[in-house]
Amino acid sequence: MTSAFNSMLNTPESKLPLEVWAGVECTVNRVGKEYFDQLERNGHARRLDDLDLFAQLGIHAIRYPVLWERTAPDGLENADWSWIDERLERLRELGIRPIVGLVHHGSGPRDTSLVDPEFPEKLAVFAGAVAKRYPWITHYTPINEPLTTARFSGMYGHWYPHGRDDLTFARALLGECKAIALSMQAIRQVNPNALLVQTEDLAKIYSTPKLAYQAEFENERRWLSFDLLCGRVNPTHFIWDYLLRCGIDEAEFEFFLQNPCPPDIIGVNHYLTSDRFLDENLENYPAWTHGGNGRDKYADVEAVRVCAEGLAGPRALLKETWERYKLPIAVTEVHLSCTREEQLRWLNEVWNAAQELRDEGADIRAVTAWSLLGSYDWNSLVTRWAGYYEPGVFDLRSPRPRQTAIAKMVRDLATGHKPNHPLLDIPGWWHRKERLLYPAVSCPSSSPASPFTERSRSMLPRPPASSRPLAIVGATGTLGRAFARLCQLRGIPYRLLTRKDMDIADSASVNKVLAELRPWAVVNAAGYVRVDDAEREPDICLKANAEGPAILATACAQHNVGLLTFSSDLVFDGAESNPYVETDTVAPLNVYGCSKVLAEKLVLRANPASLVIRTSAFFGPWDDYNFVTIALREMSAGNTFVAAEDAIVSPTYVPDLVHASLDLLIDGENGLWHLANKSAVAWADLARLAAKKAGVSVKSLVSLPTQELGWIATRPVYSVLGSDRGELMPHLDSAISRYLKERS
C-alpha cells in the first residue's frame, strides 16, 4: 500500500473529504392490488450498462435496491437473485460502494403488510439471506423513510394498506422500526461491522401562533423513527401520550428500549416542498388545502409558498439533526423537480450547507445526487401511472440515458472541483419573490432572509453586474420575447437585443457586443419568417437566415460563448410518411427552407459546439398572430376561417419550446435537435382540436387542400418532426390545454 492510502485508512471519517453519493429512484409501492415499480418504469431493470454510466460520474457510493418485493415476491425459497447478483458484482468491479435498500416505500410481498404483526420478522429473514449471499456489503438501509411511508400508508391512505387513522399509522411505523432493528441484527450475525444508514424526510412545520401547538407536535413527530431506533421513546418522550392514545400498548415500546439500534449514519432527505405551513385563515387558500385536526380547521400549504422570511433551509435542518443526535449524517436525497438551472442551484446549495457545517465540526459524511435516472409520477405520489417524468442526473427521454448538466456538476464535486456554471450565482426560485403563491405570512421559526433575497426582489431583465447574462437576439419577435419572459421566470439574467443593439450580419457589431456583454451564451431568435415573401426577395431572406447566423457562430466560437439558433421543418420535402428525425436527408421545396438548410451547414461548420433546433408551426399565449389564436378568435366571432386540410405538421407550443431549448443549452448539448410537441395533425384539424377544447363552434371553419390556398411558396404536405436524440416535448393535447389556461 502507498503511504497516502495508509494515511487515508488512519484518518477519521469525519476528516475525510465530503463524499458524493448517488441513488436510483427505486420505489416499489403498492396501491390496492397493483405494484408500481420505478425500476421497470425507468428501464434500469433492463440496462446493466447504466452502472458504467454512473461510474463515470466519480461517485463513491450508491443507494441501490435489493428489494424484497422484486427479489422474493413468492417467498424466499422461490427468490430470484440473478438480477441482483449481476449488478452488485458490477458495482464491486467498478469500485462503487452499494448502500443496499430492502424496502423502498413498499409494504412487502402480497402475504404481508406494514401492519402485519409478523412483518418485522419476515423482513429480517430476507435481510439475513441478503447478508449471507453478499457478505462483503457493509452499508444497509432496510427500510427507506419509515415515517413518511407510515404516513402515506397508514394515515393518508395513499398506499397499501390504505389506513386513514392514527392507530394504523402508529402500528405501521412501529412495525417498520422493529423490522429495521431485527434486520440489522440478522445482517450483523453475518457481518458484525455492517452499518445502518437510516433515511427520513425531516420536513419541518411552520404555523400561525394559534396553531403553534400543532406545529410543535408535528415537528416532534418527525423525529419518531430515529428516536425509536435510538431507544429514546419512553414515558418522558413528547410523543408518548399520543402513541398511547392511538392504541399502542406500553409493552410494545419495551423492544426498542431493550434493543436500541441507532443509525450509524443518519440519512437526511430534504425536499423544498415538504416543509409545510398551517394557517386557520382558510379564505386565503384554495379549498383543496383545507383540513384540520378535530380541534381546529386550517389550510396546510407548502411553507415556501407563504413564509415571508424564507425557509430555514438545508443548513439549519442538518444542524438541528446534528445537535439532536450527534451521530454521523449524510444527505441521502437531493432532488428538485424543476428546470435545469434550478436543479443545479439546489444541489449546489445543499452541498455548500453540508460543507459549511462540516467545517464547523459536524460529522457530515456525504451528499447524495438523487435520482440518477429521474423519477415518474411523484406529482401524484405514485398513486397512478400518468407518465409524469422528472429528469435527474440523466434524462431518459433519449434512446439511452443522456447526461444533463447535473452530471457535470456531480463529477466536479466528486473530483474536488468547484462547479462554475454562470447560473449558479443566481438565487433559486425558493429565494425569489415569485415563490409566494399566497399572502406572505411571518414564520418566526424560519431563518432570516437569505442573502439572495434583496437581490432577487429587484431582479430585472438587465442582470446584476457580477452575472454573465444570456444574450437573446430578436427583441421584436415572438420567440425572442418568449425567451425573455421565461428567463425572467427562471431567474436567468438576460439581455434582449434589437438589430440596432447587435446586427448579426455585421461581424464587427457582433464582436463588439460579445466583448462588452460577456454573455455565457447567445440565443438567436431573430430571422426572416415570411415564407411566401422569401420567394420574391431571396437575397434578403438568405442574408438574415443564413449569413447572419454563420457570422454569429464564428464570433461565438472565438469568444468561447455558447450558441442556440433555430431552423425549421421546411428543410424537408414531405416525401416521407413517418416523422422526420435529425439524420434524415434535407430537401427543401422553397427559398425559406433553403435558407435554413444553408444556415445549419454554415453554423455547424463555423462552430460545431452550436445547438441548432429545428421546430415547427408556433403557437403560444403571448402574441395575437399565431395560427391557434387567430383561428379561435375568428371562429368565436363567427367569421370564416380557412385552413389546409392536407398539410400535416407537428405544432409547437412556444413555452414548451423555450423551456426545452434552455435546458439543452444549459446541458451543453450541440448539433441538430428536433423539438415539437408530439403530434401529427393537419392545420384544419389543429383548429378543430383547439376549438373543441375551448368550447368554440367550428361552423365557420373551411377546410381546403393546400393547392387552393394561394400560397406562393411550395410547402411539404408532411413535415412532422420526430427525434432520434430525445423526445423532450409534451403531447399537443397537453400543450393546447395549457395554452387555453394561460390565455384565460
Side-chain angles (χ1 to χ4, degrees), residues 235-359:
T236 65
H237 194 278
F238 186 90
I239 302 292
W240 178 264
D241 289 340
Y242 161 75
L243 293 171
L244 296 185
R245 288 196 305 273
C246 288
I248 303 298
D249 190 274
E250 288 189 31
E252 297 184 51
F253 298 101
E254 191 64 27
F255 171 84
F256 299 101
L257 297 174
Q258 296 299 322
N259 299 277
C261 184
D264 297 285
I265 300 175
I266 288 181
V268 175
N269 298 348
H270 181 54
Y271 289 84
L272 273 170
T273 53
S274 292
D275 291 350
R276 314 298 297 180
F277 181 77
L278 311 180
D279 191 342
E280 71 276 9
N281 298 293
L282 299 177
E283 67 277 5
N284 291 332
Y285 309 96
W288 58 267
T289 68
H290 297 178
N293 57 12
R295 171 176 164 184
D296 287 302
K297 293 182 178 180
Y298 50 80
D300 181 338
V301 298
E302 297 168 350
V304 70
R305 301 300 190 181
V306 68
C307 288
E309 298 88 349
L311 300 183
R315 188 183 190 282
L317 179 59
L318 291 172
K319 184 176 182 181
E320 192 176 8
T321 306
W322 170 248
E323 291 176 347
R324 185 179 179 99
Y325 295 104
K326 296 296 183 182
L327 292 171
I329 296 170
V331 182
T332 39
E333 292 184 18
V334 181
H335 173 71
L336 186 62
S337 175
C338 206
T339 54
R340 193 77 76 240
E341 72 286 347
E342 301 286 35
Q343 291 178 308
L344 294 172
R345 291 164 182 163
W346 179 234
L347 177 56
N348 193 55
E349 184 169 327
V350 175
W351 177 270
N352 289 339
Q355 190 67 64
E356 288 171 12
L357 273 177
R358 185 181 171 88
D359 293 343

Side-chain angles (χ1 to χ4, degrees), residues 579-599:
Y580 285 97
V581 298
E582 291 85 354
T583 53
D584 283 333
T585 302
V586 295
L589 301 177
N590 53 49
V591 170
Y592 177 84
C594 288
S595 74
K596 290 298 186 179
V597 168
L598 182 58

Side-chain angles (χ1 to χ4, degrees), residues 46-362:
R46 302 176 294 279
R47 291 191 307 268
L48 176 64
D49 57 358
D50 283 355
L51 301 182
D52 295 87
L53 295 178
F54 301 162
Q56 294 170 15
L57 301 173
I59 57 175
H60 301 85
I62 186 170
R63 294 186 60 198
Y64 204 73
V66 181
L67 297 182
W68 189 14
E69 294 94 333
R70 285 180 55 86
T71 308
D74 300 313
L76 195 56
E77 65 279 6
N78 298 310
D80 182 355
W81 301 96
S82 58
W83 188 89
I84 300 166
D85 287 347
E86 187 176 38
R87 280 150 180 81
L88 290 183
E89 183 58 33
R90 185 61 185 143
L91 286 173
R92 198 176 186 184
E93 292 169 356
L94 292 168
I96 301 174
R97 181 173 71 251
I99 303 168
V100 163
L102 306 181
V103 174
H104 201 100
H105 292 312
S107 52
R110 294 190 184 277
D111 67 346
T112 190
S113 78
L114 297 180
V115 294
D116 175 5
E118 297 181 2
F119 176 86
E121 288 76 12
K122 291 178 178 178
L123 180 59
V125 171
F126 177 71
V130 172
K132 289 175 184 176
R133 194 171 186 90
Y134 314 108
W136 54 273
I137 290 177
T138 56
H139 291 62
Y140 286 87
T141 303
I143 297 179
N144 175 65
E145 293 186 3
L147 181 72
T148 300
T149 303
R151 286 167 48 223
F152 286 11
S153 301
M155 185 175 289
Y156 306 145
H158 299 317
W159 302 335
Y160 190 81
H162 303 291
R164 294 181 180 273
D165 59 90
D166 287 344
L167 178 58
T168 306
F169 157 74
R171 288 223 175 279
L173 180 61
L174 265 66
E176 289 177 292
C177 290
K178 185 176 181 181
I180 292 167
L182 291 178
S183 294
M184 291 309 300
Q185 288 178 12
I187 290 166
R188 285 168 176 159
Q189 287 178 4
V190 178
N191 183 353
N193 297 318
L195 303 180
L196 171 60
V197 181
Q198 187 51 57
T199 60
E200 197 61 87
D201 181 352
L202 296 174
K204 191 158 188 174
I205 309 300
Y206 305 90
S207 74
T208 60
K210 179 179 179 179
L211 295 168
Y213 73 94
Q214 182 67 27
E216 181 184 20
F217 166 75
E218 295 192 33
N219 282 326
E220 285 298 323
R221 189 182 64 188
R222 68 193 168 120
W223 305 107
L224 196 47
S225 56
F226 294 134
D227 283 357
L228 282 166
L229 291 169
C230 290
R232 293 187 176 193
V233 180
N234 57 37
T236 65
H237 194 278
F238 186 90
I239 302 292
W240 178 264
D241 289 340
Y242 161 75
L243 293 171
L244 296 185
R245 288 196 305 273
C246 288
I248 303 298
D249 190 274
E250 288 189 31
E252 297 184 51
F253 298 101
E254 191 64 27
F255 171 84
F256 299 101
L257 297 174
Q258 296 299 322
N259 299 277
C261 184
D264 297 285
I265 300 175
I266 288 181
V268 175
N269 298 348
H270 181 54
Y271 289 84
L272 273 170
T273 53
S274 292
D275 291 350
R276 314 298 297 180
F277 181 77
L278 311 180
D279 191 342
E280 71 276 9
N281 298 293
L282 299 177
E283 67 277 5
N284 291 332
Y285 309 96
W288 58 267
T289 68
H290 297 178
N293 57 12
R295 171 176 164 184
D296 287 302
K297 293 182 178 180
Y298 50 80
D300 181 338
V301 298
E302 297 168 350
V304 70
R305 301 300 190 181
V306 68
C307 288
E309 298 88 349
L311 300 183
R315 188 183 190 282
L317 179 59
L318 291 172
K319 184 176 182 181
E320 192 176 8
T321 306
W322 170 248
E323 291 176 347
R324 185 179 179 99
Y325 295 104
K326 296 296 183 182
L327 292 171
I329 296 170
V331 182
T332 39
E333 292 184 18
V334 181
H335 173 71
L336 186 62
S337 175
C338 206
T339 54
R340 193 77 76 240
E341 72 286 347
E342 301 286 35
Q343 291 178 308
L344 294 172
R345 291 164 182 163
W346 179 234
L347 177 56
N348 193 55
E349 184 169 327
V350 175
W351 177 270
N352 289 339
Q355 190 67 64
E356 288 171 12
L357 273 177
R358 185 181 171 88
D359 293 343
E360 293 173 13

